[in-house]
Amino acid sequence: AQKITQTQPGMFVQEKEAVTLDCTYDTSDQSYGLFWYKQPSSGEMIFLIYQGSYDEQNATEGRYSLNFQKARKSANLVISASQLGDSAMYFCAMREPLPNFGNEKLTFGTGTRLTIIP
Amino acid sequence: DADVTQTPRNRITKTGKRIMLECSQTKGHDRMYWYRQDPGLGLRLIYYSFDVKDINKGEISDGYSVSRQAQAKFSLSLESAIPNQTALYFCATGSGTGELFFGEGSRLTVL
């Protein structure tokens, strides 16, 4: 079963508008973390924002915020005032524990390709 | 200089050839990972290592092997490359907080 689901393969948004990228997750763990990464056309993976499962407030980093709804198991990324440079692939990821105690991995969603229209 | 360096960045090879992708890091992290990215599939974990003596298979390890030569070096090998191993490969390191620090990727094409 897919643990991270991104239902929007692609999105087109007008420049300066806000955009929400959806992410839902599935876990039975009480302690977990959610991440968003950006991948521009050049290919590198850029960390954007992190939300811990025990964090009571939604994470924010500049124009990025994470709309964390724990009961719904959703962790949507909100980009305010979108810019042309925001055009990229965006991945949601969840930290999962591994059998080796104290170690973990990231499980990724399939990504959303965001295109900002001038 | 990048904290996580992958070589080669691009490689075209033929079916049946042996290929090694190398990764080195200067972040001092114990955790190192190899991921593979395919269009529409996101990133999938191939192998991971938590120290020099610890190597673990990820979800898609068949056809791949790894070597952790030192804390800072983690290599991925394709013993006999096949076309469906054409993909973008990422090495990553982790500090234990969950966040991963990625290399710039190695694009491999198998003809």
Side-chain angles (χ1 to χ4, degrees):
Chain A
Q2 199 165 4
K3 294 190 175 182
I4 295 284
T5 302
Q6 295 181 253
T7 57
Q8 307 151 309
M11 287 187 70
F12 291 85
V13 173
Q14 203 74 37
E15 189 181 7
K16 299 182 183 178
E17 289 185 352
V19 56
T20 298
L21 305 181
D22 295 341
C23 174
T24 58
Y25 60 91
D26 182 28
T27 183
S28 56
D29 294 316
Q30 296 301 308
S31 177
Y32 53 90
L34 297 152
F35 298 79
W36 278 91
Y37 283 84
K38 173 183 179 181
Q39 185 181 42
S41 58
S42 51
E44 72 269 31
M45 296 289 286
I46 302 169
F47 166 75
L48 294 179
I49 198 166
Y50 167 77
Q51 179 84 41
S53 58
Y54 293 119
D55 295 339
E56 294 185 352
Q57 292 194 330
N58 287 341
T60 60
E61 290 286 349
R63 293 186 300 112
Y64 303 108
S65 60
L66 200 152
N67 184 2
F68 182 46
Q69 298 189 35
K70 198 169 183 177
R72 293 186 177 185
K73 294 188 174 179
S74 74
N76 298 339
L77 177 70
V78 179
I79 306 174
S80 63
S82 58
Q83 302 171 356
L84 296 178
D86 293 333
S87 293
M89 195 77 168
Y90 289 81
F91 290 99
C92 179
M94 179 172 67
R95 183 186 69 214
E96 286 191 275
L98 285 165
N100 324 63
F101 180 73
N103 292 305
E104 68 287 313
K105 65 171 181 175
L106 285 189
T107 296
F108 287 82
T110 54
T112 296
R113 183 168 299 281
L114 175 65
T115 303
I116 306 300
I117 305 167
Chain B
D1 289 341
D3 293 324
V4 183
T5 303
Q6 292 182 230
T7 56
R9 295 289 313 283
N10 288 284
R11 181 72 182 268
I12 300 173
T13 191
K14 294 182 178 180
T15 297
K17 294 291 187 181
R18 183 178 187 273
I19 294 296
M20 178 180 285
L21 305 180
E22 298 185 339
C23 176
S24 62
Q25 53 115 347
T26 59
K27 297 192 75 67
H29 292 160
D30 290 327
R31 296 162 169 80
M32 296 190 75
Y33 306 79
W34 275 104
Y35 281 87
R36 167 180 172 161
Q37 183 182 3
D38 298 278
L41 296 179
L43 280 75
R44 295 178 293 166
L45 185 62
I46 307 173
Y47 270 95
Y48 58 97
S49 169
F50 297 127
D51 65 39
V52 176
K53 297 179 182 179
D54 179 83
I55 302 290
N56 303 277
K57 292 182 178 181
E59 54 187 304
I60 55 163
S61 59
D62 288 348
Y64 302 95
S65 62
V66 290
S67 172
R68 186 82 183 265
Q69 301 96 323
Q71 187 211 30
K73 295 183 182 294
F74 192 37
S75 301
L76 177 71
S77 293
L78 288 69
E79 295 301 326
S80 180
I82 56 177
N84 75 2
Q85 292 177 311
T86 293
L88 181 59
Y89 292 85
F90 284 102
C91 175
T93 71
S95 63
T97 63
E99 181 184 351
L100 294 187
F101 300 85
F102 286 86
E104 294 178 312
S106 295
R107 189 169 297 279
L108 176 65
T109 302
V110 183
L111 301 176

